[in-house]
Amino acid sequence: MADSSDFWRTKTLAEMTATEWESLCDGCGKCCVLLLEDVDDGAVHKTDVACRLLDLETIRCSDYPNRRARVPGCVQLTPDNITTLSWMPETCAYRLIAEGRELFDWHPLRTGDPGSTRRAGMSVYGRLVSEKTVDESDLEAHIVADNEP
């Protein structure tokens, strides 16, 4: 039986407090990877380029409170939109909970260890370059074949 510390098992996303909501983020950084959409067929391609606000050492946003003002394409996740964002990683806790699935055993809420995502190889740590170092005209050269970093 789940206890109160297992809130993700007993609450919907809409029922969570702001603190519970934020704690769902496992710090993987996958949602901060730049995506390119093919104008011809609408296909979305992942790159090995991180948003300019992603700190590549901590894999956390360097200006989280102001991210949407500083990065116009930054999407704020909500209980209402998470199921419509097909580009969100399959491992994303918000997506998993919205789909009625369990968090992976490496998730920090399950391990009690904020570094468990990285140690499990589920983080983008060491796999990306910053948008600050890539010319926009070169983004296509950074498309990666695999679906999940």
Side-chain angles (χ1 to χ4, degrees):
M1 179 174 178
D3 63 32
S4 63
S5 64
D6 293 345
F7 65 88
W8 67 90
R9 291 183 173 128
T10 59
K11 293 184 176 184
T12 67
L13 292 173
E15 294 170 330
M16 292 180 189
T17 66
T19 300
E20 290 169 339
W21 175 271
E22 293 297 326
S23 73
L24 283 178
C25 177
D26 61 27
C28 71
K30 294 174 185 177
C31 62
C32 298
V33 172
L34 296 191
L35 304 172
L36 298 176
E37 184 175 1
D38 188 312
V39 294
D40 295 327
D41 64 9
V44 176
H45 302 281
K46 190 176 291 184
T47 70
D48 64 357
V49 180
C51 168
R52 64 182 171 270
L53 295 181
L54 186 68
D55 179 319
L56 295 180
E57 286 302 310
T58 64
I59 311 300
R60 292 291 182 179
C61 184
S62 62
D63 192 9
Y64 188 73
N66 303 304
R67 70 196 184 280
R68 290 189 353 248
R70 293 187 59 196
V71 179
C74 184
V75 175
Q76 180 170 351
L77 301 180
T78 68
D80 293 329
N81 73 5
I82 190 62
T83 58
T84 67
L85 304 172
S86 61
W87 49 266
M88 286 298 289
E90 295 284 332
T91 57
C92 175
Y94 299 99
R95 183 175 181 168
L96 292 170
I97 300 303
E99 294 173 352
R101 297 169 41 206
E102 177 58 81
L103 299 180
F104 287 97
D105 58 2
W106 47 260
H107 193 284
L109 285 173
R110 299 206 44 207
T111 66
D113 176 8
S116 59
T117 302
R118 186 182 294 189
R119 274 191 291 293
M122 299 310 295
S123 166
V124 296
Y125 179 78
R127 301 176 190 194
L128 303 177
V129 297
S130 176
E131 176 183 21
K132 294 183 274 190
T133 66
V134 177
D135 188 278
E136 188 175 350
S137 64
D138 293 333
L139 279 176
E140 282 188 36
H142 286 270
I143 292 174
V144 292
D146 64 351
N147 240 359
E148 295 283 332

